[in-house]
Amino acid sequence: MPGQRCQRRAGCRSGGRDAGAGPGARGSLPGRSGPGARGPPGQSPCAMSGVPGGRRPTFSGLAGERLLEKAAGARQRCGSGGGSVPGTLLCTDRRLAFLPGQAPGSRGLLHSEGEVALPCIHKLVAASSFSKPKVLTAASTLKFIPEELAVFCRDFRLLHFYFPENGLSSEAFRVANAIAQAREAAAWLGDAAEGHDGCSSPGEAPPEEEEEEEGSSTTLLFESLRDWEKELQRLGAAGWRVSAVNERFDMAPSLPQYLWVPSGLLDHDLKRTFAHFQERRVPRLCWHHPGGGDLLRAASFHPASEPGSEDVRCLEALLLGDRGPCVLADVAELPTLADIQLAHLRLRALCLPGAVAEEKWLSALEGTRWLDHVRTCLRKAVEVVLLLAGKRCSVVLQEPSDRDLNCLLASLVQLLGDPHARSLPGFQSLVQREWVAAGHPFPRRLGLLCRDSPREEAPVFLLFLDCTWQLLWQFPADFGFTEAFLLALHDSSFSPYFSTFRFSCQRQRRHSSMPRLPSQTYRPTGGWQGPGELGGSPHTRTFPPVWAWGRRYTRQQQQQFRNPAGPPAPAEPPAPGTPGDPCPRKGSRLVLALAKGSLCPHPLPWWSRPPPRPPHRVSPSESQGTRGGLPGGCQPSPGLLLPCTAAPCVRLWRRCYLRGLPQEQPGRLAPSLAGLAEELQLLQERLGAWAGRRPR
């Protein structure tokens, strides 16, 4: 699976001529637009002309977005056949956009494959026939007229733009420098510039509204008490309640306003427990298994905490209660943040054209260790979900900060055990609860802050999306969404224009310039709606959630997000199953630790002596079949997924990671009938492979 080197000379010129760069492409060009060029105040840039074929693609930007430079008549390479598409290359203060000449216009934000948010640009390289390729930065000086511009994106895309010799030399020079400078100035987080509201500009067509399919549910954002109560009722978790103890974020700034805590624990007693955990992130419920098991998550115990007798009572009521034994699942077996970042950097370098020779590509892929990390996370999630499905116990996920790997592991466990989480609205609600509301620091982990230290970068969320794709590939008929949806979410994570990824915790979102709404539930139609509102105009927010897909994708593109062969979301939670090895529920003080697939006794820090040892060690990974089994001879509960985590079963997400290679772009932008035929053949092969894996 080798990469192909960039053909800077013959490929650029022959590609442009073969694609039909004739006299129409050498026509008169519009007037120049300098860095400060813009339309009337409050309006987006107007229509532009000078594109081959007489078309007039219009650029409708966001409110406050400024057009810095443009190059009409530029061409974008597509596929490995040397073909290219004519159009206009634009640089604004927020994104890089290419408008194909065949398209009547552009609407919204990041609406096509040719648009890239500035924070998503990893490297910019200019090339010419008379000089070596040069990496462009804001401080660099470009001493030649670029004939080709290569944009290396952090989402594994690689965009090539050509400037034919038809009078574009000055525009090519200016647009290349403008992109380099705008990219360096894209320290968007915390920017309080007016007009960054993500809304339509005057004169811009409003975003298309998605028609809500019959029976589709809403996506809960978990920013209101009503959302937390609704989800707790769906889970059927008896013995738990919604607490507003952190409603003002004074108990734990990085935790959400509302928490799921035991019903018998009063808020007055709950407040005594915050100081005994790092970052004051106390244990709280995140999922209830129909069989009776509870999944909790928390930060590590504070090393300097010395709880008194009353604090110990509250801590044990929070951790143990009357729920049977407590299993502490530490994430120490998962890859560290540094391991994830290093593997991701190696993978991105490997997926560039010409990175390694063909015969060494597979060994180099193994050397990145990215797939090893995916396999480790899936294996750990299987161990946890088997415990919840086979025993009536509580599993507490513990991580020092409770903001990174706990998000990943808690989400994977619910994907394996909860069919609702595998529906499209259920998955979006899952991300909102376990990542967004739980305080995952998206800007630092995705490297969207230029002033942050690179050591804080670690794409944990992208690792979770890869694990989700592995499950989707192994169980395609059990998911209500498709690979196209995961790919759209993957690419959107690098965009700063959504509240989902712009802030590090719910407190930041609440204290930003966004207005507080009476309801925080987003519906595909009608936008933001208050309690009892079944219609009416949407309530506009400064930064919309990423789930507002209608702002960036057409109806046809959004239809590809839903799996027509997938199961519908269950209206009610499945009936409780029979536990395989019931444990005493009343007054149990048994605390175990899950390590390397086995359970062993583990005293709590404030216990003076260890608890009684269990009669034997219990291994949740004892297999009764090819894909794993349940302890105690229990049969799998309905809806439980047990993926194969062996090395041959964990594959590379080709459509995401290899799309920068020319040979992996068949039919992209449809440059010819041959490209369409190649794309059709690829789709037929994928459909045949998918049909062969369906259960009969």
Side-chain angles (χ1 to χ4, degrees):
M1 178 179 320
Q4 295 185 357
R5 295 190 177 275
C6 172
Q7 303 295 331
R8 295 191 293 108
R9 301 185 181 182
C12 168
R13 297 179 178 176
S14 63
R17 289 193 293 267
D18 293 344
R26 295 178 179 269
S28 59
L29 297 176
R32 299 186 301 177
S33 59
R38 68 190 76 175
Q43 293 189 10
S44 57
C46 57
M48 297 170 297
S49 59
V51 181
R55 301 278 185 174
R56 296 173 59 87
T58 59
F59 170 71
S60 298
L62 303 176
E65 186 174 13
R66 295 184 297 113
L67 177 62
L68 303 180
E69 288 291 348
K70 65 180 178 181
R75 310 184 72 90
Q76 181 180 7
R77 187 181 71 183
C78 51
S80 57
S84 61
V85 174
T88 302
L89 181 62
L90 306 172
C91 175
T92 75
D93 59 344
R94 304 193 194 179
R95 53 177 162 167
L96 171 69
F98 181 79
L99 306 184
Q102 297 89 336
S106 175
R107 170 188 63 79
L109 170 67
L110 303 179
H111 193 64
S112 68
E113 286 288 331
E115 297 191 33
V116 183
L118 292 178
C120 186
I121 298 178
H122 172 64
K123 185 170 61 174
L124 188 67
V125 180
S128 173
S129 302
F130 306 101
S131 61
K132 296 181 179 180
K134 180 178 180 59
V135 178
L136 299 182
T137 63
S140 62
T141 302
L142 187 59
K143 298 182 179 180
F144 59 88
I145 302 298
E147 299 176 0
E148 176 185 353
L149 199 61
V151 182
F152 295 82
C153 304
R154 304 178 65 186
D155 58 6
F156 289 84
R157 283 185 293 169
L158 176 58
L159 307 180
H160 285 273
F161 301 103
Y162 300 101
F163 305 99
E165 298 176 357
N166 57 354
L168 282 181
S169 57
S170 59
E171 293 190 4
F173 183 84
R174 291 198 308 271
V175 76
N177 283 310
I179 297 172
Q181 295 179 9
R183 170 175 167 261
E184 295 290 338
W188 48 267
L189 196 71
D191 184 13
E194 293 80 10
H196 288 212
D197 54 4
C199 309
S200 301
S201 302
E204 178 186 356
E208 293 185 27
E209 291 186 354
E210 178 187 2
E211 295 182 358
E212 185 175 6
E213 296 184 6
E214 182 179 359
S216 64
S217 58
T218 60
T219 297
L220 303 178
L221 298 189
F222 295 96
E223 295 181 0
S224 68
L225 179 64
R226 174 188 175 190
D227 291 349
W228 290 91
E229 291 177 342
K230 182 178 180 180
E231 181 66 10
L232 186 63
Q233 182 181 8
R234 186 194 69 83
L235 292 175
W240 295 89
R241 66 178 180 89
V242 180
S243 171
V245 68
N246 197 42
E247 191 170 19
R248 294 183 297 179
F249 303 104
D250 53 347
M251 301 305 301
S254 62
L255 281 180
Q257 288 181 292
Y258 306 101
L259 309 173
W260 288 334
V261 299
S263 301
L265 187 63
L266 302 178
D267 286 350
H268 174 75
D269 296 332
L270 180 62
K271 291 180 180 180
R272 308 179 70 101
T273 64
F274 283 88
H276 302 288
F277 295 90
Q278 297 189 30
E279 297 192 24
R280 303 178 63 87
R281 297 178 65 90
V282 296
R284 69 267 182 209
L285 178 72
C286 57
W287 183 57
H288 173 76
H289 189 273
D294 294 321
L295 180 67
L296 291 79
R297 56 181 294 180
S300 299
F301 297 110
H302 200 288
S305 74
E306 296 180 358
S309 58
E310 191 64 20
D311 291 353
V312 168
R313 180 187 65 82
C314 299
L315 286 169
E316 293 187 355
L318 183 61
L319 282 171
L320 305 177
D322 294 331
R323 300 185 300 274
C326 175
V327 178
L328 302 179
D330 200 326
V331 299
E333 300 176 16
L334 299 183
T336 64
L337 298 182
D339 294 337
I340 296 174
Q341 172 67 0
L342 180 60
H344 192 261
L345 291 177
R346 290 175 175 173
L347 179 65
R348 191 166 61 192
L350 178 64
C351 295
L352 294 176
V356 295
E358 180 178 2
E359 61 273 11
K360 299 181 180 179
W361 203 93
L362 291 178
S363 59
L365 175 62
E366 183 179 0
T368 64
R369 301 210 60 192
W370 179 259
L371 296 182
D372 290 338
H373 298 337
V374 172
R375 185 164 51 251
T376 301
C377 294
L378 289 175
R379 184 165 53 243
K380 188 70 173 182
V382 169
E383 294 176 356
V384 174
V385 78
L386 287 179
L387 277 176
L388 295 172
K391 290 180 177 292
R392 297 174 62 87
C393 62
S394 298
V395 178
V396 182
L397 306 179
Q398 275 201 308
E399 181 190 13
S401 66
D402 183 39
R403 302 180 69 178
D404 293 296
L405 297 176
N406 266 6
C407 301
L408 183 148
L409 191 55
S411 302
L412 286 181
V413 169
Q414 295 177 60
L415 280 178
L416 295 178
D418 190 354
H420 176 74
R422 300 193 287 267
S423 65
L424 182 58
F427 183 83
Q428 295 181 161
S429 299
L430 175 67
V431 173
Q432 278 291 141
R433 186 177 72 251
E434 299 300 340
W435 294 84
V436 181
H440 178 67
F442 284 105
R444 297 201 302 270
R445 295 296 177 253
L446 295 176
L448 300 178
L449 284 177
C450 301
R451 57 183 177 270
D452 273 1
S453 170
R455 290 178 296 180
E456 295 186 357
E457 293 186 33
V460 184
F461 183 69
L462 305 185
L463 179 61
F464 163 68
L465 293 183
D466 196 322
C467 295
T468 304
W469 180 84
Q470 303 290 339
L471 299 176
L472 179 63
W473 180 82
Q474 294 193 27
F475 306 97
D478 290 288
F479 285 83
F481 52 86
T482 62
E483 181 184 21
F485 168 77
L486 290 179
L487 195 60
L489 184 57
H490 177 279
D491 295 348
S492 299
S493 63
F494 291 100
S495 177
Y497 310 111
F498 314 111
S499 62
T500 309
F501 307 114
R502 186 179 177 90
F503 305 101
S504 296
C505 63
Q506 198 175 81
R507 179 176 178 268
Q508 286 185 2
R509 295 178 182 89
R510 183 69 65 176
H511 291 176
S512 66
S513 59
M514 296 181 296
R516 185 168 183 176
L517 301 178
S519 173
Q520 299 296 329
T521 300
Y522 182 82
R523 293 178 180 273
T525 58
W528 297 91
Q529 298 180 350
E533 284 188 39
L534 299 179
S537 60
H539 299 270
T540 305
R541 296 190 69 176
T542 304
F543 297 100
V546 71
W547 321 120
W549 299 113
R551 294 178 179 266
R552 310 183 305 289
Y553 295 92
T554 62
R555 277 197 198 93
Q556 291 76 12
Q557 291 173 321
Q558 294 177 68
Q559 288 175 357
Q560 299 178 8
F561 291 174
R562 296 184 179 272
N563 182 9
E572 297 180 358
T578 303
D581 188 14
C583 299
R585 308 281 291 179
K586 194 71 174 177
S588 176
R589 286 171 50 88
L590 180 61
V591 178
L592 306 173
L594 176 62
K596 297 182 179 180
S598 299
L599 297 176
C600 56
H602 183 84
L604 294 176
W606 52 84
W607 284 359
S608 58
R609 57 181 181 178
R613 295 183 59 87
H616 59 277
R617 294 165 65 93
V618 182
S619 174
S621 59
E622 292 177 354
S623 175
Q624 294 183 356
T626 59
R627 289 184 178 266
L630 295 173
C634 175
Q635 295 297 325
S637 59
L640 182 65
L641 300 183
L642 297 178
C644 177
T645 58
C649 298
V650 178
R651 301 197 173 190
L652 182 70
W653 189 1
R654 295 175 58 95
R655 187 176 173 185
C656 179
Y657 302 139
L658 301 184
R659 51 183 162 166
L661 303 180
Q663 64 269 27
E664 294 292 334
Q665 303 177 9
R668 185 171 177 267
L669 299 181
S672 62
L673 291 177
L676 284 175
E678 190 177 7
E679 178 75 7
L680 179 60
Q681 180 181 1
L682 176 65
L683 292 176
Q684 290 175 344
E685 293 176 356
R686 290 181 177 178
L687 182 62
W690 178 83
R693 293 197 299 266
R694 290 192 63 181
R696 299 182 179 180

